[in-house]
Amino acid sequence: MAPPAVPAPAHGTNDDIPRVTHVLRPHHIAILSVFVLVLREPPSPTFNLHIWRVLAREIAEIHPPKPFEQLVDAIANGPSDLPEEAQKMGRGLRNVPKHLYTHDGMSQFFADVIAFVPERDYEGAPATSSPNHCVERRSYFGLFIRRCYLSFFKLSWRGTVKLLQDYRKWVGGNDAGYNLRTTDREGGLLLLPTQSDELQYAQTDPYERYEKAVKVGDTQSAIENLRRFFDQRFSENEESSLTQHALLNLARLHYTLGEFVAAGNALEEALKVARTANDGLTVLHCTSLLKRITPASDAARSGGKPTPIKPNMSPLEVLWEVKKMVDVGEPLRAVFKKLYQSLGCAGAQYADAEESRWARHTAKATLWSYTGVESLAQTYEGMVTAFTQPGSDDDSRLNVLRARARRLVRQGNCGGALIVLLDPDTWRGLNLRQYELWANEIWKALQVTARRRDQEVLIKEFLHPQRPAEPPILQSYSTSNVFPTKLTAPGSLRWAKAMIVRQEVASLPTDARQYADAISPVLDALWNSEYRGTWAYHRIAVVQLADISIEFGMAGKGRRMIEGCLPQILNGDDLEIRAYACYVLARCIIAQSWSVGDPKKPPETDKQNTALEEALPFLQVAERDYATIEIYRERMHVIYTLSVVYHNLALGLQKAAESMDERMHEGVGGTNAPTVSPSALRERAKLMMKERDKMAEMYLEVDKARKDAGGMVMDDELKEVLELVVKVAGVISR
């Protein structure tokens, strides 16, 4: 949601409103010294343009002022082809403070600066000009020089002495001269205080403390500083009419903490005040945020329909509608349509226009990942990481890095995922809410890797006690589900996976009733994923259905189903799915050779050898993928199947060699004699026997590694990783 804008004064004209007072700071003197050096001896046009650009940025004060040495370096680091002018300018700027450490020197300095600006002619004639007048009075730089001169002219003797002391300390590297209030009449620093100097205008310090408190999770301090910020004087009116903005920010604070009840109460109060003040934009923001915490019953009565686009609607609100549509199970084609509607809301009047752009790219990456096009998802993720600021609290960047880490974990590269997540550019700048997501992502990466290795003891004895705190529990009005959701493909697939005997082959006999019970959720997942366009889940459901079809004597149909989506699976976007699909496809090929004709009758030798040789490459791919992602139990199943295939291939080759010897002994052959000799077939059979023995040895090695990993109680590397996560929490809370 876009932050509320501070409204302009509702009453009075520009002539009635006195100008806000200006406080002379040490860095203003340094900027003025650059004016003196440049205007007295102008450098080359190229270097001169560089200097004016630096001065324009420093005068605008859109960022904290640079220290003295950094300012000098920024001025001197001009075009690389002008090193002499850069050195000359650097020496000149460093020599200026030596002449400004006395009251007379500072007074003469300001007299020299104002001499570059023409004087005002009160008779209405053109302003007097001379060759020394290099700056227009009403120009950007002329207004800055005149304002600094006026601020120095208003200082008392005590104020001038303090300015000299602060300037001397600031040049020496200390942070002096920036703790003054805009009004300090009681301190006697002003010789001629005006009516404007007596007014205390709003400062950003309370809001900065509010953001700091939100970042570290200090709710009480955040609320107090938010109140102090909006209690300040923002305009010349007695009633600044910013109460609705304070309530809106308070509601946003409660919402980010998951306190929906408190957020709803604050929003209802903000709506009343905003309608009374005729603040339509704040009403729109409050209404949009209130819809996010609508009870499930209200969402059900509305049918889960998305909110239509309205004028001045924030792009982030449209992206929230995208999330809601995904949660309720809408087709991705409708979700993409809604996503592109956010382009029309990205107006220049919003402060979050840049933020919404990368949030939109993050949403695109997520949706393309759902559709199974990982290449496009990674492209959008790369755009977000390339153009967002490292070490910031940008939700889009954090979500992209979390998605990248999850993808690496799925590919068996847990170390690469930890490198991405533990990079200081990832966690530096996170707030407390984002830290909880980041810490849980690291823990889940470790837990998934341990689960794949069957390290149940490590998970129970070490990882579970070390699990980071979950994000705050959402205090919803009625149920934990804000919006009603439909049956999703992931839920159906998890249900079916729990009932497929494939995971229980090592310990339980085959039970056909479990396969029959698994058909219903798999078919639900197939229909749901095809309806929604989530083809990544659709491929898993197809493979699971093919796995079930083997047990019902429909291996040929299961093979055709897998081959229909095999090109996308073999792409390697998910190694576990590819390994599972290749393993099931190999079983389908082998089973199909038996199921044609009489299923109880063994197939012919040539036909069996052809099926085994066709299934062999898929089993090898499955074995390599399971080895990469370190799923020991499934890898052992594949290795066992490989050993059986090699053994049967060897027997088939030996039988073919014997049959060939018999035909040659009986004189059968002629023009139809085989091109492969019996000795070649026997040599190949021996190679198959060696591969079978190799698979047997590998099976024992993998089983030993599985038992060693399963008996591990603690891992020193995992302990160091989790200790680092705790240290990061200490760094963030400072």
Side-chain angles (χ1 to χ4, degrees):
M1 178 182 295
V6 178
H11 304 285
T13 63
N14 294 334
D15 296 335
D16 299 332
I17 301 175
R19 296 178 180 178
V20 179
T21 185
H22 176 257
V23 178
L24 194 61
R25 309 289 186 183
H27 73 278
H28 293 152
I29 301 176
I31 295 175
L32 294 175
S33 64
V34 179
F35 278 110
V36 174
L37 295 179
V38 173
L39 296 177
R40 282 182 177 176
E41 298 182 7
S44 61
T46 303
F47 196 79
N48 198 13
L49 177 61
H50 159 72
I51 294 177
W52 291 114
R53 286 175 175 173
V54 175
L55 292 178
R57 289 193 297 267
E58 291 299 319
I59 292 174
E61 296 185 356
I62 57 177
H63 52 74
K66 291 184 175 63
F68 179 72
E69 289 297 331
Q70 291 186 13
L71 179 62
V72 173
D73 293 339
I75 295 293
N77 292 336
S80 58
D81 56 342
L82 300 172
E84 296 181 358
E85 293 192 8
Q87 294 177 2
K88 180 180 178 181
M89 181 60 64
R91 288 194 302 269
L93 290 175
R94 288 184 174 88
N95 290 331
V96 168
K98 301 177 182 178
H99 305 283
L100 303 181
Y101 286 160
T102 62
H103 185 276
D104 294 339
M106 186 66 72
S107 300
Q108 184 61 40
F109 171 75
F110 275 93
D112 295 340
V113 171
I114 199 61
F116 293 108
V117 182
E119 298 180 359
R120 181 178 180 181
D121 193 336
Y122 291 93
E123 299 298 330
T128 58
S129 179
S130 68
N132 293 330
H133 297 156
C134 305
V135 182
E136 293 291 337
R137 287 178 56 84
R138 296 183 179 273
S139 67
Y140 179 68
F141 300 108
L143 291 173
F144 173 76
I145 294 175
R146 291 164 54 198
R147 194 172 194 182
C148 291
Y149 177 77
L150 179 61
S151 298
F152 179 77
F153 185 80
K154 291 167 58 178
L155 291 178
S156 63
W157 175 266
R158 181 179 176 181
T160 306
V161 172
K162 180 170 178 54
L163 177 63
L164 290 173
Q165 294 175 352
D166 292 341
Y167 177 70
R168 184 181 295 109
K169 294 178 181 178
W170 179 76
V171 171
N174 298 325
D175 187 12
Y178 296 92
N179 56 351
L180 293 176
R181 298 178 298 173
T182 54
T183 60
D184 205 345
R185 185 178 183 182
E186 296 180 357
L189 301 182
L190 298 179
L191 181 63
L192 301 171
T194 62
Q195 181 181 1
S196 175
D197 296 322
E198 297 177 358
L199 301 177
Q200 177 68 40
Y201 288 91
Q203 302 295 316
T204 60
D205 295 343
Y207 199 83
E208 291 177 357
R209 292 193 293 269
Y210 158 74
E211 291 183 334
K212 177 65 176 178
V214 171
K215 182 177 180 180
V216 301
D218 190 352
T219 307
Q220 296 299 328
S221 178
I223 296 175
E224 179 64 23
N225 283 285
L226 186 64
R227 182 192 62 78
R228 291 178 181 176
F229 175 74
F230 284 101
D231 283 347
Q232 298 180 102
R233 183 186 186 92
F234 288 91
S235 68
E236 296 303 315
N237 303 320
E238 295 296 332
E239 178 61 39
S240 60
S241 301
L242 295 181
T243 307
Q244 66 271 22
H245 296 290
L247 292 171
L248 176 58
N249 278 270
L250 181 62
R252 292 177 61 192
L253 172 62
H254 288 302
Y255 177 81
T256 55
L257 297 175
E259 302 169 355
F260 283 4
V261 176
N265 295 334
L267 284 174
E268 291 175 358
E269 184 67 22
L271 277 172
K272 296 178 183 178
V273 178
R275 290 190 177 111
T276 303
N278 197 22
D279 190 348
L281 188 58
T282 303
V283 171
L284 177 62
H285 289 324
C286 293
T287 305
S288 300
L289 185 55
L290 191 59
K291 288 181 178 179
R292 295 192 182 190
I293 54 179
T294 302
S297 57
D298 293 348
R301 285 195 298 268
S302 64
K305 296 181 180 179
T307 304
I309 304 297
K310 299 180 181 179
N312 298 323
M313 192 172 185
S314 173
L316 297 180
E317 293 299 333
V318 183
L319 295 180
W320 169 260
E321 293 293 330
V322 170
K323 177 184 180 301
K324 185 173 72 172
M325 293 176 68
V326 173
D327 290 342
V328 300
E330 293 294 331
L332 289 186
R333 56 182 177 273
V335 177
F336 272 108
K337 183 178 179 181
K338 191 69 176 181
L339 175 65
Y340 287 111
Q341 289 180 3
S342 64
L343 292 171
C345 300
Q349 68 272 22
Y350 285 104
D352 62 352
E354 193 73 13
E355 178 186 359
S356 63
R357 177 190 302 176
W358 308 126
R360 185 166 56 252
H361 286 326
T362 304
K364 289 179 183 178
T366 303
L367 295 180
W368 281 118
S369 180
Y370 284 156
T371 59
V373 188
E374 290 293 336
S375 57
L376 270 177
Q378 295 180 28
T379 300
Y380 282 109
E381 290 175 1
M383 293 173 62
V384 174
T385 55
F387 293 100
T388 52
Q389 183 66 29
S392 62
D393 59 348
D394 192 339
D395 284 321
S396 300
R397 183 179 182 86
L398 177 61
N399 291 334
V400 163
L401 294 175
R402 289 171 59 206
R404 182 176 299 175
R406 285 194 296 269
R407 185 180 297 109
L408 290 172
V409 172
R410 291 286 300 170
Q411 298 296 83
N413 189 5
C414 182
L418 293 178
I419 290 175
V420 172
L421 294 173
L422 294 177
D423 189 344
D425 287 342
T426 301
W427 55 260
R428 188 176 66 246
L430 298 180
N431 55 41
L432 183 62
R433 174 184 59 83
Q434 294 171 331
Y435 167 79
E436 292 171 347
L437 297 174
W438 171 81
N440 275 279
E441 198 67 45
I442 293 177
W443 186 88
K444 289 176 183 177
L446 301 176
Q447 192 263 353
V448 168
T449 304
R451 183 76 66 186
R452 283 178 167 178
R453 298 172 180 173
D454 289 336
Q455 296 177 311
E456 298 297 334
V457 177
L458 178 66
I459 295 174
K460 182 178 180 180
E461 300 294 335
F462 179 71
L463 285 180
H464 277 176
Q466 299 290 332
R467 183 170 187 173
E470 291 287 347
I473 300 176
L474 302 181
Q475 300 177 7
S476 181
Y477 282 88
S478 54
T479 63
S480 58
N481 293 326
V482 180
F483 301 105
T485 58
K486 303 176 183 178
L487 182 64
T488 59
S492 300
L493 292 175
R494 285 192 293 268
W495 186 13
K497 183 179 179 181
M499 291 183 284
I500 292 182
V501 186
R502 177 183 61 85
Q503 294 188 347
E504 302 175 346
V505 134
S507 58
L508 294 177
T510 302
D511 188 352
R513 288 178 300 176
Q514 291 179 325
Y515 284 103
D517 294 339
I519 290 179
S520 178
V522 168
L523 293 178
D524 288 340
L526 277 171
W527 177 88
N528 184 277
S529 59
E530 186 174 359
Y531 166 74
R532 298 187 61 192
T534 54
W535 302 111
Y537 298 119
H538 183 79
R539 296 163 194 162
I540 305 175
V542 167
V543 177
Q544 285 190 341
L545 185 60
D547 193 359
I548 296 173
S549 66
I550 299 175
E551 302 300 325
F552 290 95
M554 296 184 293
K557 189 172 183 178
R559 176 181 180 180
R560 290 192 297 272
M561 286 190 298
I562 295 180
E563 288 177 345
C565 57
L566 190 61
Q568 292 79 17
I569 294 177
L570 291 179
N571 191 28
D573 293 332
D574 194 314
L575 294 183
E576 186 174 0
I577 297 176
R578 186 173 71 178
Y580 179 36
C582 289
Y583 181 46
V584 174
L585 179 58
R587 292 168 56 208
C588 288
I589 294 173
I590 298 172
Q592 186 183 11
S593 65
W594 283 71
S595 60
V596 177
D598 186 2
K600 298 182 180 180
K601 181 180 179 181
E604 299 177 358
T605 303
D606 294 341
K607 187 176 181 180
Q608 180 182 4
N609 290 344
T610 302
L612 293 176
E613 290 178 354
E614 188 177 357
L616 185 60
F618 294 106
L619 290 173
Q620 292 172 345
V621 171
E623 191 277 328
R624 288 196 300 267
D625 289 344
Y626 280 132
T628 302
I629 59 182
E630 296 181 301
I631 301 183
Y632 295 130
R633 191 179 298 275
E634 300 299 328
R635 187 186 177 193
M636 291 170 62
H637 296 165
V638 177
I639 292 174
Y640 178 81
T641 307
L642 271 171
S643 66
V644 173
V645 169
Y646 282 127
H647 178 77
N648 284 274
L649 276 174
L651 294 180
L653 290 172
Q654 290 176 358
K655 187 179 296 185
E658 293 174 359
S659 177
M660 192 178 300
D661 287 337
E662 292 177 0
R663 290 198 301 269
M664 292 176 64
H665 180 71
E666 295 174 356
V668 180
T671 57
N672 296 327
T675 57
V676 181
S677 63
S679 60
L681 292 178
R682 290 189 177 90
E683 288 295 329
R684 190 178 177 192
K686 291 180 180 179
L687 292 176
M688 292 298 150
M689 287 295 184
K690 291 182 179 179
E691 291 295 331
R692 181 202 62 181
D693 297 339
K694 183 179 179 181
M695 290 297 105
E697 295 176 358
M698 184 183 296
Y699 185 93
L700 296 176
E701 293 176 359
V702 175
D703 188 38
K704 182 178 181 301
R706 181 184 65 85
K707 292 179 180 179
D708 293 342
M712 184 181 298
V713 179
M714 188 186 67
D715 191 329
D716 293 336
E717 293 183 359
L718 298 186
K719 184 178 180 181
E720 292 178 0
V721 169
L722 295 178
E723 288 178 352
L724 180 59
V725 172
V726 176
K727 292 179 181 178
V728 169
V731 173
I732 291 177
S733 61
R734 292 176 183 173

